[in-house]
Amino acid sequence: MALDQPMFDLRELQLAARNHGVPLEALRYPITPVGLHYLLIHFDIPAVDPGSWRLDVGGAVGFPLSLSLDDVRARPQVSVPVTMECAGNGRAGVSPHVVSQPWVLEAVGTAEWTGIPLRGLLEDAGLADEAVEVVFEGLDSGIDGGVEQHYARSLTVGQAMADDVLLAHTVNGDPLPPQHGFPLRLVVPGWYGMTSVKWLRSITAVREPFAGYQQAQAYRMRRSEDDDGEPVSLIAPRALMIPPGIPDFLTRARLVDRGPVRIEGRAWSGRGDIVGVEFSADGGGSWAEAELGESAGRHAWRGWSYLWEPAATGACELCCAARDAAGNRQPPHASWNVGGYANNAVQRVAVAVR
Ligand SMILES: Nc1nc2c(c(=O)[nH]1)N[C@H]1C(S)=C(S)[C@@H](COP(=O)(O)O)O[C@H]1N2
Ligand SMILES: [Mo]
């Protein structure tokens, strides 16, 4: 991706100006300050009156529910630190170019979400035996792929009943801000972010698989326009480093002083625990094992570090690659699909050592 090549158009700039990523230096925080957490909003942030807001739980259930925000807060509460990543993270690196939210590498964040376990709520509503999926619908609406819709996604009953899936009203100890789903959102640990529906208005148990746009058309790994593709689901492993030294304003290229440099970063995967992170100072020609640090919880990213001793002054390319317990390792180069999803190719940081 040549920096001075005109590649993005005004449609992408409009999206990029609305939906920001995490500045990579903010990887220093185990829990991302909420204003630095990435943001992805397909349509508009809906206006919500918390006094009249209700969450309707219905469909194939024995006891339909309509909960106020106070009803939600009166139930037993849990807090779970979760690393969330947009399925489009890395899209700017795929070729041929895919026109959509043009993430480079920064569509990720870790927050401590507080709310109520979804499973308990579905049990209280008396989920029917015929229910196969649960549909989560947001208050926000718009047009996507020519289809007018409320943003909505589904989970199978098994996925919805899993441990640590929650309906969150609080993030990092404060009520959700408007942009992150006030007053209530779904949080599904380990899954790409599109699953975690914001601004919830209803939860509906259904007897047939949900065929809404964001489920059946978008978020599928399609090799061509007429390929159905597999659904995008669990987060592929990724490690990111805090770019060392100081940046050039325009190009973001780094200037680093010679001498040992402590490289630090975070690594995560929704497909298995992180078991290793490798570091390369020669563009991936040779790799060394980094030291793994702590994580804030079983669904949160893990710190890592590597003491790099630059061999000489001059230009080099730093890379890092994560491995998870399921045997996945980040690939050196991007692979392509229609939506530009789940590109977890290794990060490359251009550095000049002086
Ligand atoms: N209702 C609603 N929920 C949504 C979205 C949306 O546009 N509308 N975007 C999804 C996508 S694609 C992502 S990556 C995450 C982003 O969550 P965040 O903005 O809180 O980081 O929210 C998901 N939930
Ligand atoms: Mo996303």
Side-chain angles (χ1 to χ4, degrees), residues 37-40 42 140 151 180 185 193 196 198-199 219:
H37 193 284
Y38 87 97
L39 198 61
L40 196 295
H42 285 75
D140 52 328
Y151 187 89
H180 288 295
R185 76 174 303 171
S196 294
K198 303 193 271 190
W199 311 293
Y219 297 109

Side-chain angles (χ1 to χ4, degrees), residues 38 40 42 85-88 103 192-194 219:
Y38 87 97
L40 196 295
H42 285 75
E85 182 179 19
C86 181
W103 296 122
Y192 281 115
M194 74 286 163
Y219 297 109

Side-chain angles (χ1 to χ4, degrees), residues 64-268:
L65 303 170
S66 176
L67 304 181
S68 69
L69 200 47
D70 285 343
D71 295 335
V72 171
R73 290 176 175 277
R75 296 178 62 90
Q77 306 288 305
V78 292
S79 290
V80 189
V82 175
T83 295
M84 195 182 288
E85 182 179 19
C86 181
N89 203 13
R91 179 180 287 126
V94 306
S95 177
H97 183 62
V98 172
V99 177
S100 186
Q101 170 69 33
W103 296 122
V104 186
L105 286 173
E106 60 296 280
V108 65
T110 298
E112 187 181 53
W113 303 97
T114 301
I116 62 173
L118 177 64
R119 180 168 53 209
L121 187 69
L122 294 176
E123 283 167 358
D124 287 359
L127 204 58
D129 289 343
E130 318 89 75
V132 294
E133 288 192 359
V134 182
V135 180
F136 302 86
E137 189 170 86
L139 288 159
D140 52 328
S141 63
I143 299 157
D144 198 355
V147 182
E148 188 172 338
Q149 59 194 273
H150 276 260
Y151 187 89
R153 292 270 311 174
S154 69
L155 293 171
T156 66
V157 169
Q159 292 158 357
M161 300 295 265
D163 282 346
D164 295 335
V165 176
L166 76 155
L167 302 174
H169 51 70
T170 292
V171 58
N172 297 358
D174 289 315
L176 297 185
Q179 67 273 24
H180 288 295
F182 179 84
L184 193 72
R185 76 174 303 171
L186 180 64
V187 175
V188 186
W191 285 63
Y192 281 115
M194 74 286 163
T195 319
S196 294
V197 179
K198 303 193 271 190
W199 311 293
L200 280 175
R201 69 167 188 181
S202 65
I203 299 179
T204 310
V206 292
R207 295 175 175 83
E208 300 291 334
F210 177 58
Y213 181 83
Q214 305 295 341
Q215 196 76 26
Q217 268 86 55
Y219 297 109
R220 303 188 74 93
M221 302 289 279
R222 296 155 65 204
R223 273 153 306 211
S224 66
E225 289 291 346
D226 40 49
D227 174 20
D228 263 356
E230 288 298 307
V232 175
S233 59
L234 299 175
I235 300 175
R238 190 193 302 276
L240 290 178
M241 73 183 92
I242 299 172
I246 55 170
D248 176 61
F249 166 64
L250 199 53
T251 63
R252 309 306 298 174
R254 314 298 301 191
L255 187 60
V256 173
D257 289 328
R258 200 172 167 190
V261 185
R262 171 69 58 186
I263 306 286
E264 296 189 301
R266 307 269 168 198
W268 62 94

Side-chain angles (χ1 to χ4, degrees), residues 324-337:
D324 69 20
N328 303 300
R329 184 192 190 272
Q330 287 183 250
H333 301 292
S335 61
W336 188 90
N337 59 78

